[in-house]
Amino acid sequence: MSNTEFEQENITSEEETDEPAKKGFRINIHMILIAAIVLVLGISAYELIRWNRGERISLDPNEDTSMFDIEVLDELIPMAPDDYAGHDFDDETTVLLLGNGDLAMSRNDEQALDRMIADAAGVTVYNAAFPYPTLATRNLAMIEQNYPDDIYSLTYLADAICTGDFSEIDRVTDKYHADGNFTQESVKVLKNVDYEKLDVIVIMYDPSDYFEGRAIENPKDDEERCTIVGSLNYSIRRIKQAYPYVRIIVSSIFYTDGVDAEGKAYDPDKVDSGNGTLSNYFYNELNTCTELSVSFLDNFYGTINQDNYSKYVDLSREADYIRLTDEGRKALAQRIAYAINKYPQDK
C-alpha cells in the first residue's frame, strides 16, 4: 500500500469516527419549542389558579366611603380675562338670582334660600326669581291669554335685562298679578339692579320643566324659547354680549320624585315624560353650559339626589310648587356659595 493510499484510508477512518460524535451534540429545535409551550402553559395555569383564589381584603366598617358614592359633575370655570378687561370692579360682590319655585316662594321665610346664599357666600344677593315659570316657555311665542307667566321665563327676562326695557313685564304683571306680592317684588328687584356693577348671575330652575312636559331641544333651532337648550342658548348668549364682565353660573335641577294621576309616587329618572327622563334634562343642561363656556353646578348628583331627596324636599305635597325643607335650602345655599366664591378674582 502506498503512502497516498494509506493517508486516504486514514482520513476516511477519522471522518467515520467523528460523525457519531457530531450527531450526539446537535440541538433539536422541536424539543425547544415543546419545552417553551409547556412552560407558558404552566405559568398561565398557575396565574389562573391564583386569580381564581383571589386575596383576602379587610374592610373597616367605620370607614367613611361617601366620597366614592357619587361623581359630582361640576364644571366651574374662570372667566376669560378679555371678558372683563377694562371693567372696574368695586369691593362689593353682587349676585342676581334668576329662577323659580322655592327660590321665589321662600323669600319671606326665616330660612329663605336667598338669605342663606347671601350669608354663606358673604355677598349681596338680589332675588328676581318668579314662583311658577319654567326655564323653557310653554309657547313658542308669547300668547298672553294662554299663559301670561311665560313672560317670566328666562328668555324674556334676558331680553328685558339686556335692553333695559321692562315695559312688557310691567304690563303683564299689572294685568295678571296686581295682587301677587312675590311676582311684584321680583319685578321691582329686576328693574332696580345696577347691571353695570353686577358681578354674578345665578340661573337656578327646579325640575318643573320635566314635570310640565317642556321640550328639551329643537335640533333645527338651538335658540327656540320653548326648549330648555334653546332657552339657555338664547339667554346666556345675549347676557354675555351685553354684560361680558358678569360671571354666569347655572345651578342645575335637583332630584325629586313625581306623583302620577292616581297619587302614586314614581321615579322620574325611569319615566319618560314625553321628552325624556329627568336625567336627560340634567345632561342637556350640562352639555349646553359646556358649549357656552359658563359655569355649571351639579345639584342632581352633588346636592339633592336620589338617595337624600326625602330629607331635602318637602314631600307633603301641600304646596303647589316644589318646596324645599330648611335642610334642603341650606344644602343648596352652601353649594351655590361655593360656586360663587370659586374664582373670586373675576367675581
Side-chain angles (χ1 to χ4, degrees), residues 158-170:
D159 284 339
I161 289 170
C162 295
T163 63
D165 182 2
F166 297 91
S167 59
E168 189 64 10
I169 292 177
D170 279 335

Side-chain angles (χ1 to χ4, degrees), residues 316-336:
S316 66
R317 321 289 184 189
E318 295 177 357
D320 57 352
Y321 62 95
I322 302 174
R323 180 179 173 85
L324 300 173
T325 64
D326 289 346
E327 291 86 352
R329 292 172 191 158
K330 182 178 180 181
L332 273 176
Q334 290 177 339
R335 291 273 290 148
I336 293 170

Side-chain angles (χ1 to χ4, degrees), residues 262-333:
E262 298 177 354
K264 295 179 61 177
Y266 66 89
D267 180 0
D269 206 24
K270 293 181 179 178
V271 176
D272 188 330
S273 65
N275 297 290
T277 64
L278 190 57
S279 59
N280 292 139
Y281 284 75
F282 167 79
Y283 280 109
N284 275 277
E285 280 188 358
L286 169 59
N287 294 337
T288 303
C289 292
T290 301
E291 292 175 1
L292 292 168
S293 297
V294 296
S295 290
F296 179 83
L297 184 68
D298 170 14
N299 295 312
F300 191 75
Y301 296 109
T303 312
I304 301 177
N305 55 54
Q306 196 166 4
D307 294 327
N308 64 22
Y309 78 95
S310 60
K311 175 183 177 183
Y312 292 147
V313 179
D314 183 352
L315 301 178
S316 66
R317 321 289 184 189
E318 295 177 357
D320 57 352
Y321 62 95
I322 302 174
R323 180 179 173 85
L324 300 173
T325 64
D326 289 346
E327 291 86 352
R329 292 172 191 158
K330 182 178 180 181
L332 273 176

Side-chain angles (χ1 to χ4, degrees), residues 39-71:
L39 179 62
V40 170
L41 290 175
I43 293 174
S44 300
Y46 170 77
E47 293 294 336
L48 181 60
I49 293 171
R50 191 177 70 166
W51 181 79
N52 282 332
R53 185 182 298 121
E55 60 179 297
R56 185 179 299 276
I57 299 177
S58 298
L59 297 177
D60 181 0
N62 299 317
E63 182 181 4
D64 181 10
T65 60
S66 59
M67 68 182 72
F68 306 110
D69 293 342
I70 55 174
E71 179 182 0

Side-chain angles (χ1 to χ4, degrees), residues 26 30 69 109 128 134 136 138 162 172 243 275 290 315 317:
R26 181 173 296 174
H30 299 292
D69 293 342
D109 292 356
T134 46
R138 176 184 291 184
C162 295
V172 173
Y243 306 104
N275 297 290
T290 301
L315 301 178
R317 321 289 184 189

